[in-house]
Every structure is written in structure tokens, then in C-alpha cells.
Amino acid sequence: MSRRTNRRQFVKTTAALGAGFWAAGGISPKRSLAANEEIRFACIGVGGKGVEDSDNVGRLGKVVAICDIDGEFLDKAKGRFPDAKTFFDYRKLLDEMHDSIDAVTVTTPDHTHAVISLSAMALGKHVYCQKPMTHSIE
């Protein structure tokens, strides 16, 4: 008996396995038992486009910190995320909250994207940053 598989045999076998898998109901998703079941976000820049970005990540996890230099934007965001700690300076946010956050959104003016994103990444945080992250290829 030959162990070599030709294309026809491969298609027959995978079709039979696929049909059996489908008939059995496939694999049902299992509930995560990870320590960090919920992603904890810090949102830096919560006015303008930052409203949309912070609302989007708020649906994916929990916003635990918000930061903006404009107090009016910060107050509006506090209404949407009443449990989030507020900051006017991103450096203070990262310094105080680095153990309490998993990811950061950066929705600030273009010239501040790189420095804020790199500061968060240096702490090992995942970053969602509005483009551009820099002004040149170099």
C-alpha cells in the first residue's frame, strides 16, 4: 500500500473530514480564563477623533484612564467613562497607571504621536495611534 497522496485523494480526505467536522457542530468557543480577561485601556486625546477612538475601545474593554489637555474634552469624556481616572499630562498618566493598563490609544495632534506612542511602547503597552506617527521616513 502506497503512502503517497495524490491531489484527488487529498481532496476526498479533507472533504470527508470537513463534512464530519461540520456535522459534529465544529468547535464551540470556550470562555477565556486568562488573568486579564478584559483589556484595560488608557485614552490619550479624547476630543474630536478621540471621542470615536475612545468609544470604540470602550466597547472592546474597559477605559481606566483618560487624558487631554483641554478640560472641556476631558469633562465630556468623564461623562462617558465615569470610572476612568483623569489626567492632563500623558506622562503622569503613564507614570501612575502603567501597572493598571494594557493598551493605549493616541489621538492627539500629529506632532505628538511619536513621542507619546514610543513612551507607551517603552513600558510594554500596545498602542493604537492615529496616523501619521512621524513626519518623515527617517
Side-chain angles (χ1 to χ4, degrees), residues 19-99:
F21 185 74
W22 176 77
I27 296 176
S28 60
K30 295 182 181 174
R31 179 158 160 71
S32 170
L33 300 175
N36 292 332
E37 285 186 33
E38 187 172 55
I39 300 172
R40 298 163 300 179
F41 290 98
C43 298
I44 301 173
V46 291
K49 178 70 174 144
V51 173
E52 184 180 331
D53 288 350
S54 60
D55 286 347
N56 284 338
V57 298
R59 287 190 285 275
L60 300 173
K62 182 174 183 172
V63 176
V64 296
I66 52 178
C67 177
D68 205 295
I69 60 170
D70 187 318
E72 190 174 319
F73 289 149
L74 202 55
D75 288 341
K76 288 179 183 176
K78 187 67 175 169
R80 294 189 327 272
F81 306 108
D83 297 333
K85 194 165 180 183
T86 58
F87 296 89
F88 287 102
D89 188 335
Y90 79 90
R91 294 167 294 196
K92 192 168 183 175
L93 180 151
L94 293 175
D95 188 44
E96 286 184 27
M97 300 292 289
H98 71 274
D99 288 334

Side-chain angles (χ1 to χ4, degrees), residues 113-127:
H113 286 178
V115 69
I116 296 171
S117 296
L118 288 173
S119 297
M121 286 186 260
L123 294 173
K125 306 306 172 192
H126 299 278
V127 174

